[in-house]
Amino acid sequence: MSFPQPKPEVPQLPQNLLRTIDCQQGAVRAVRFNADGNYLLSCGSDKSLKLWSVSRGTLLKTYSGHGYEVLDADGSYDNSQLCSCSSDKTVILWDVATGQVTRKLRGHAGKVNCVQFNEEATVILSGSIDGTVRCWDTRSRKFDPIQILDEAQDGVSSLKVSEHELLTGSVDGRVRRYDLRMGQLHVDFINSPITCVCFSADGQCTLTSSLDSTVRLLDKSTGEMLGEYTGHKMKGYKLDCCLSSKDTHVLSCSEDGHVYCWDLVEGSLMLKLPVGKAVVQSLSFHPSETRLLTAMEGRVQVWGAEPEETEEEVVVVQQEKA
Amino acid sequence: STWFWSTEIRDVVRYYEPLRKPVPLYEQTVKDEKGRYQRFHGAFTGGFSAGYFNTVGTKEGWTPATFVSSRQQKAGRQNARPEDFMDEEDLGDHGIAPRQITTTADFASGRKDVIRDKARAITSLSAPIPGDTVLEDLVAPARSSMGVELLRKMGWKDGQGVGPRVKRRLCKQRADSATRAFGSASPPNGSSESQDEEDGEFVPENVTFAPKDVTPIDFTPKVDLHGLGYRGLNPLAALRGGPGAGHINLFTMDSDRTNSLFGEDRKGQRRRGGVAGQGFGVGAMEDDDEDIYHRDIMSNYDTVLGGEEPGNGLYGWTAPQQYNRKKKDAAYLGKILEGFTLASDKLETKTIFPPPNLPRDFRPVHYFRPVVDLSSVSPMVAQALQTSRGHMAQEEPSKGGRHQLDSAQRRELLGEATLQGADCSLYSSETCRHNKMSLLNPSRFAPHAEQQQQEALSVWSGPTAQAQTGQTFKPFERTPHKQARYDLYIDQLKQGDRDALELSLDPTMTEWERGRERDEFVRAALLYKPSSSSLSCRFTRGKQDDGVEADTVEVTRDQENDVDDKQAAVKMKMFGKLTRDTFEWHPDNLLCKRFNIPDPYPGSGFVGMPKVKRDKFSVFNFLTVSESPTASASPAPQGNKQSVPLYPDTFYLKCYREEFQSVGALTFIVYYQIYSLFNLITRLN
């Protein structure tokens, strides 16, 4: 007797606002999940970087050391280090527990837009408005980058790192994918300044959002467009886009105060989250669950699939029983 | 008792103790076991402690021994031992009569006195009765261990060896000992039939003898600095009289020195123990008559080190030695040096390799080869010279022989395996090597002009030369006519024209001038030929000194396709081949390590995209061009020249970006690939 196959899960959307966190950091320029999704990093325009607990919404630590607005941050896989970049042209490597600056990496000629660790947190990659991507070594004590990638002809607005690849999006309208294993550079021409790039979870596609209010899904190997998602407004600001944890949906910020969510395959708009009135600056999806972070003005919103109320109800019922 | 009061003595053990604070004077006190302060009387003269609180004896004072003797009870003999007058302190560890616990003689081990036992053992072998220390047994009770007792009970006698009985003739113990042993063999066990005679030569059959005892070997190491076998002065022999009385000879080669040390009398020895000599006279009981009128003879004082005989003892004997060799007893030899014996293995002999056998006609004179240009002599001579060098292969004269080989060629010749890794030899191309050679040795090998022409032709008409766009070196810039002719020559070389040289010369020039120009052109063509693409990636041309501004820029080798096409494709949403470009990109080796992936280009020396040198032209040189998408104005480096004509339809545009460090500033420089590029340059300048 064989058991019936489990029913495929209906993909869930993070449509319920679970929590709003007032960061007190000025404007939140970027909000990021850490590697396991339990913590939240918020980069503020008051030059501070804050670490929060997602489930409780409590502030855990504040990291100060930048000289100007913090534009992006990333956590290492073991949650021991953070890296952040700022408009003061520096990239800082933090120790999480002590809050100390481990390294202050100078070298960029302009504000650093994006920063990320590689998988083993041995390299920090940062892209800047000066058109270069610099690879910094966290292991050695040198302050020079290992390599400078200067193929971009205008500022680098966004970058993502995978096991052996580096994806950069530049204002010159090109998505550059550096394949370290093959030793190749693939350039995809998009024709409008790119605001955000990201890999898909299966590593077959790349998602790019550009200033022509279009989010495109491109095939990694051939460069063909697999999907195009429109409806949102992205005309002047660098806003984030992402894929859901299981690559079922495409999400993007918008300047009209909403977060748009499309079905990846069909391209139809599934959800329009009403975040607020102002521009939704940044968003980040949980690595495994259906949970979304959005940043608008000075607040961070946590969205989930299950509404917050049901959890409270469960608590109440148990108390009554007792 | 005496105490030594001094500062703390630091011996080796206490050296590593942690330092303690110095004890102040008032705490430097000594208390005995009862807590009484010790007072040291006579401290400067050794000190003594005076009894009980500086009194004697006990609290009651020193109690003298009572002496009672009455008629009924006589007093016993009062034997006062010194210990009676000593107190505990004297009997303690540091007293004058310290007590120790020792084992009694019954329970003590047999190794009480090692030296004495050894002496007894050695004497016992050579004593009158072997193994029997008669004299000492009389003097003191000989305590033998249980093992010895057991052996005796089993039939062993002192002086015998232990083991199975052997069937051989017992060697004479001492060949030249004065007193012969009684019978040369110990009597067999329980057998009285074989009573040996005195001569000992006749050995009855069916007789077994006890094995010979082992001579106890002296294992004491040599810790002094004397020579081997040195024993120093024998006091007995010194005081004894004798034939050499009055003069001690330390250098006798006697083998019986042990005997003389341990008291065996030789025949004719004078009195023992005492002193003898002419000055001491002879006693009435003595047997021997001392020579009263002993005269000292000078021969007593004649001692020659190394023997008296001059020479080697052969006295001129030059015949083969086997007739003169003295047979030495092996055992005798072994006793020359005490503690040493003949070795069983031979010493290793060194292998000597004889010098090579010279041929009959070998003359040890070397004539250096004459420096001869191989091409200017007859081929027979050249052949002879080549073979005389020892080369089997006929190499081209231009190759320069074995001194001009590079490592790759040498490897081929030797038949070695190629090294793993990139061949970074700069001179991998043949022409490079030849070029170098010709540059280095202009005087030695003055190549023929025709040869050079051939080379120039081969170099310039090759594929690399064709690929090279634009000539970057103009050797005759100063004279435009000459330059023009040179350029023509280069053109024709590129086309593979064999008469390039002749055609490009100016017919109006004199013959001599033409000849000179010919040579110049050829040399210039060879010296400044286009380099192969692999080299050009590694080298950049330096700026020229004569003030001509640099007109080349380093740009990436692989360029993107046309932007317009791409834009059109994007508009049509035809992503894919039209919008994608793929380039070769070299990651840094350390970056690959950090990403834990193998380096895709392990041997490449550069990082990033491969770059080549390209001529750089500002768009403002060509004012008639209208399609220049320049963003910002950059000053024309060369001003407004006369308008440049004509771009044939085959020309096409490429955009390059020149890198600037400043943020956001971009200047596009238009580069035109022009077929007759050098003509244009001359017109501009």
Side-chain angles (χ1 to χ4, degrees):
Chain A
M1 178 177 132
S2 66
F3 290 99
Q5 294 293 323
K7 266 190 285 195
E9 255 184 47
V10 174
Q12 296 183 318
L13 292 170
Q15 53 204 349
N16 301 98
L17 176 65
L18 301 177
R19 187 172 271 111
T20 305
I21 303 172
D22 191 4
C23 295
Q24 308 279 344
Q25 277 180 300
V28 177
R29 293 283 174 233
V31 67
R32 299 274 177 259
F33 268 114
N34 74 325
D36 54 28
N38 294 325
Y39 301 99
L40 187 166
L41 289 164
S42 64
C43 314
S45 61
D46 71 340
K47 315 172 205 167
S48 70
L49 174 68
K50 288 192 178 175
L51 181 70
W52 307 79
S53 159
V54 175
S55 48
R56 292 175 203 276
T58 51
L59 171 65
L60 299 174
K61 206 158 181 67
T62 307
Y63 301 91
S64 313
H66 273 298
Y68 212 178
E69 287 187 356
V70 185
L71 295 178
D72 199 2
D74 190 31
S76 65
Y77 68 97
D78 57 355
N79 298 329
S80 67
Q81 286 178 316
L82 301 175
C83 65
S84 64
C85 65
S86 163
S87 302
D88 66 354
K89 311 182 209 168
T90 62
V91 174
I92 291 185
L93 178 68
W94 306 89
D95 179 55
V96 172
T98 60
Q100 296 296 320
V101 172
T102 308
R103 287 268 185 287
K104 205 170 201 178
L105 303 163
R106 296 185 174 83
H108 277 295
K111 68 171 178 162
V112 189
N113 286 323
C114 45
V115 74
Q116 198 171 28
F117 275 113
N118 72 332
E119 235 186 64
E120 289 167 359
T122 54
V123 181
I124 299 175
L125 295 107
S126 59
S128 158
I129 202 175
D130 65 356
T132 61
V133 173
R134 279 168 208 247
C135 313
W136 311 91
D137 190 4
T138 58
R139 287 287 153 88
S140 72
R141 302 201 130 265
K142 288 207 294 209
F143 290 98
D144 299 321
I146 309 171
Q147 192 169 356
I148 303 175
L149 315 174
D150 55 1
E151 283 77 22
Q153 293 161 17
D154 210 332
V156 175
S157 61
S158 168
L159 69 82
K160 289 287 186 299
V161 192
S162 84
E163 234 183 71
H164 59 276
E165 281 176 328
L166 168 63
L167 190 67
T168 64
S170 165
V171 180
D172 64 2
R174 288 165 177 84
V175 176
R176 289 180 177 81
R177 183 168 60 85
Y178 297 85
D179 193 333
L180 275 92
R181 212 166 43 188
M182 302 294 299
Q184 285 174 337
L185 161 63
H186 305 275
V187 181
D188 289 321
F189 186 75
I190 307 292
N191 202 29
S192 98
I194 295 172
T195 56
C196 187
V197 291
C198 69
F199 282 110
S200 64
D202 58 0
Q204 299 298 318
C205 320
T206 61
L207 190 75
T208 58
S209 62
S210 47
L211 282 185
D212 53 1
S213 298
T214 323
V215 180
R216 293 184 181 86
L217 186 74
L218 302 171
D219 184 65
K220 207 171 80 169
S221 48
T222 59
E224 289 170 8
M225 187 167 77
L226 302 172
E228 199 180 31
Y229 312 94
T230 52
H232 60 292
K233 185 176 169 216
M234 198 187 285
K235 287 285 178 204
Y237 292 107
K238 173 193 174 297
L239 305 178
D240 284 341
C241 69
C242 69
L243 285 162
S244 67
S245 53
K246 297 210 174 44
D247 286 349
T248 51
H249 294 88
V250 172
L251 296 102
S252 172
C253 304
S254 172
E255 290 165 12
D256 59 7
H258 293 266
V259 168
Y260 286 72
C261 179
W262 300 270
D263 183 73
L264 183 128
V265 177
E266 293 171 18
S268 53
L269 182 65
M270 303 290 291
L271 190 61
K272 201 166 142 183
L273 290 173
V275 183
K277 293 259 175 18
V279 173
V280 183
Q281 174 92 54
S282 164
L283 88 167
S284 172
F285 210 94
H286 194 281
S288 49
E289 294 171 9
T290 312
R291 208 159 280 215
L292 180 71
L293 292 172
T294 58
M296 190 188 74
E297 283 182 330
R299 287 190 292 280
V300 167
Q301 293 85 19
V302 185
W303 305 80
E306 306 295 323
E308 187 75 19
E309 292 79 57
T310 50
E311 293 172 18
E312 284 174 356
E313 273 177 14
V314 168
V315 170
V316 165
V317 163
Q318 283 184 340
Q319 279 181 349
E320 279 179 10
K321 275 192 187 166
Chain B
S1 65
T2 57
W3 280 86
F4 288 100
W5 180 242
S6 66
T7 53
E8 189 175 286
I9 298 168
R10 295 191 183 281
D11 51 17
V12 178
V13 174
R14 298 171 68 158
Y15 185 74
Y16 296 102
E17 268 184 15
L19 286 176
R20 286 173 285 182
K21 270 172 41 185
V23 183
L25 193 62
Y26 52 87
E27 281 178 29
Q28 287 178 5
T29 51
V30 177
K31 297 189 187 145
D32 66 356
E33 69 276 4
K34 291 221 174 100
R36 299 172 287 206
Y37 279 106
Q38 298 278 17
R39 292 186 59 170
F40 301 106
H41 309 274
F44 294 102
T45 56
F48 59 92
S49 77
Y52 178 78
F53 288 108
N54 293 337
T55 63
V56 295
T58 61
K59 195 159 75 173
E60 288 77 26
W62 183 70
T63 318
T66 52
F67 182 84
V68 174
S69 179
S70 65
R71 216 175 298 161
Q72 276 76 32
Q73 203 169 12
K74 296 284 181 190
R77 219 176 121 72
Q78 308 278 356
N79 280 342
R81 303 169 301 136
E83 280 78 10
D84 293 340
F85 300 98
M86 292 183 188
D87 60 357
E88 293 148 14
E89 190 189 18
D90 292 327
L91 296 169
D93 287 335
H94 301 285
I96 56 174
R99 291 183 167 171
Q100 332 170 351
I101 297 174
T102 54
T103 53
T104 58
D106 289 340
F107 300 97
S109 66
R111 291 178 45 81
K112 225 172 42 177
D113 201 344
V114 180
I115 302 166
R116 222 184 57 182
D117 285 343
K118 257 200 249 179
R120 280 185 62 216
I122 291 171
T123 351
S124 68
L125 286 175
S126 54
I129 305 166
D132 203 1
T133 54
V134 177
L135 196 63
E136 299 189 22
D137 289 343
L138 283 176
V139 169
R143 274 204 198 101
S144 51
S145 64
M146 197 47 70
V148 175
E149 293 290 322
L150 284 171
L151 275 174
R152 281 223 185 84
K153 287 226 161 47
M154 290 200 286
W156 175 81
K157 304 240 177 348
D158 282 329
Q160 289 180 358
V162 179
R165 299 183 76 86
V166 290
K167 206 174 177 159
R168 61 164 174 78
R169 185 178 144 202
L170 185 65
C171 296
K172 295 191 176 53
Q173 294 214 353
R174 293 276 186 265
D176 43 357
S177 75
T179 54
R180 298 286 301 277
F182 287 106
S184 47
S186 50
N189 206 3
S191 144
S192 58
E193 61 192 339
S194 58
Q195 191 76 25
D196 281 338
E197 274 87 10
E198 185 73 22
D199 34 336
E201 294 287 335
F202 172 68
V203 178
E205 298 193 5
N206 303 324
V207 166
T208 58
F209 306 107
K212 198 165 154 200
D213 198 2
V214 177
T215 313
I217 302 171
D218 187 14
F219 287 110
T220 54
K222 187 178 182 312
V223 295
D224 53 8
L225 297 173
H226 296 299
L228 288 170
Y230 171 76
R231 249 168 319 257
L233 198 57
N234 181 4
L236 297 175
L239 295 173
R240 211 180 301 146
H247 180 85
I248 298 129
N249 196 346
L250 292 170
F251 301 103
T252 51
M253 290 305 288
D254 279 341
S255 56
D256 306 327
R257 303 213 31 185
T258 37
N259 299 335
S260 63
L261 265 184
F262 285 106
E264 182 184 289
D265 284 332
R266 261 180 292 179
K267 206 184 223 174
Q269 254 184 359
R270 301 297 172 216
R271 48 174 289 156
R272 298 182 47 175
V275 290
Q278 55 171 328
F280 293 97
V282 183
M285 310 289 183
E286 301 282 338
D287 297 332
D288 300 312
D289 260 351
E290 190 73 44
D291 189 2
I292 310 257
Y293 303 103
H294 172 79
R295 295 266 188 276
D296 208 355
I297 41 177
M298 281 311 292
S299 64
N300 287 342
Y301 297 94
D302 281 343
T303 312
V304 177
L305 286 172
E308 291 178 14
E309 297 171 352
N312 54 356
L314 289 176
Y315 290 102
W317 176 264
T318 50
Q321 288 289 317
Q322 67 248 35
Y323 301 112
N324 197 26
R325 197 153 296 151
K326 290 176 228 167
K327 200 68 174 192
K328 286 207 166 78
D329 191 10
Y332 174 82
L333 266 178
K335 289 196 188 115
I336 284 177
L337 205 56
E338 190 165 290
F340 283 80
T341 176
L342 269 184
S344 49
D345 322 324
K346 265 183 70 176
L347 275 175
E348 269 183 34
T349 51
K350 279 191 201 169
T351 54
I352 298 166
F353 299 99
N357 292 324
L358 300 172
R360 270 184 157 267
D361 55 353
F362 177 72
R363 299 273 172 274
V365 182
H366 179 65
Y367 297 105
F368 288 95
R369 295 185 63 252
V371 175
V372 155
D373 176 24
L374 286 169
S375 53
S376 63
V377 297
S378 75
M380 299 285 287
V381 177
Q383 172 94 10
L385 286 175
Q386 286 271 357
T387 49
S388 77
R389 210 191 301 174
H391 285 193
M392 299 310 293
Q394 291 300 309
E395 290 191 32
E396 289 172 55
S398 63
K399 290 249 176 124
R402 69 177 186 277
H403 296 292
Q404 308 301 331
L405 294 176
D406 71 343
S407 61
Q409 284 193 317
R410 267 187 247 264
R411 193 192 311 130
E412 275 170 41
L413 287 174
L414 288 170
E416 286 173 350
T418 326
L419 286 173
Q420 299 305 315
D423 178 24
C424 300
S425 166
L426 289 173
Y427 304 110
S428 47
S429 72
E430 209 181 287
T431 50
C432 276
R433 200 175 56 250
H434 174 66
N435 195 16
K436 171 178 168 272
M437 182 221 63
S438 65
L439 283 174
L440 284 179
N441 312 316
S443 60
R444 284 189 95 195
F445 297 91
H448 206 246
E450 192 169 318
Q451 229 174 32
Q452 273 191 323
Q453 281 184 39
Q454 302 270 353
E455 282 170 40
L457 182 64
S458 64
V459 158
W460 280 93
S461 60
T464 57
Q466 303 291 1
Q468 185 108 16
T469 58
Q471 157 147 335
T472 52
F473 181 74
K474 293 147 282 296
F476 309 111
E477 270 184 84
R478 297 268 157 70
T479 43
H481 312 288
K482 200 167 179 181
Q483 181 61 42
R485 281 199 294 277
Y486 180 69
D487 298 329
L488 187 61
Y489 165 61
I490 294 293
D491 281 344
Q492 289 176 332
L493 271 188
K494 278 194 182 176
Q495 288 168 13
D497 206 345
R498 290 180 69 85
D499 299 324
L501 197 53
E502 302 304 320
L503 290 173
S504 60
L505 295 176
D506 192 355
T508 58
M509 296 200 302
T510 64
E511 190 61 47
W512 179 80
E513 281 178 343
R514 234 182 291 166
R516 259 194 55 192
E517 209 176 79
R518 192 187 298 132
D519 288 335
E520 279 180 356
F521 279 179
V522 168
R523 257 185 279 129
L526 283 176
L527 272 174
Y528 301 105
K529 61 172 178 48
S531 48
S532 57
S533 66
S534 65
L535 267 183
S536 67
C537 276
R538 298 180 189 184
F539 288 92
T540 65
R541 203 170 283 281
K543 293 214 193 274
Q544 303 181 21
D545 291 329
D546 46 357
V548 177
E549 54 182 280
D551 49 4
T552 55
V553 74
E554 206 176 65
V555 291
T556 54
R557 183 188 70 193
D558 311 316
Q559 297 303 328
E560 287 186 19
N561 294 334
D562 202 1
V563 175
D564 294 336
D565 298 339
K566 287 190 203 166
Q567 283 173 344
V570 169
K571 281 196 181 64
M572 289 190 292
K573 301 201 182 159
M574 302 249 296
F575 288 88
K577 284 203 185 57
L578 290 168
T579 56
R580 167 161 288 207
D581 292 315
T582 300
F583 307 112
E584 187 184 307
W585 175 75
H586 292 226
D588 190 277
N589 191 24
L590 181 59
L591 193 65
C592 294
K593 269 195 229 168
R594 290 281 177 261
F595 270 83
N596 203 18
I597 47 174
D599 198 345
Y601 304 100
S604 94
F606 60 93
V607 169
M609 287 173 64
K611 293 200 190 319
V612 290
K613 270 288 189 189
R614 292 259 184 269
D615 290 333
K616 169 173 77 174
F617 292 100
S618 168
V619 63
F620 300 99
N621 290 347
F622 312 101
L623 294 174
T624 56
V625 180
S626 56
E627 299 178 76
S628 49
T630 50
S632 60
S634 67
Q638 293 177 1
N640 289 349
K641 301 289 179 182
Q642 67 247 25
S643 62
V644 176
L646 63 124
Y647 309 102
D649 300 330
T650 54
F651 294 159
Y652 54 94
L653 266 150
K654 273 192 184 264
C655 293
Y656 289 89
R657 176 179 73 84
E658 194 183 21
E659 227 178 27
F660 287 104
Q661 278 301 333
S662 62
V663 175
L666 289 168
T667 304
F668 285 97
I669 291 193
V670 177
Y671 171 78
Y672 297 93
Q673 254 191 355
I674 305 169
Y675 185 70
S676 57
L677 190 61
F678 13 90
N679 292 326
L680 213 54
I681 295 164
T682 56
R683 271 177 236 175
L684 276 176
N685 292 334

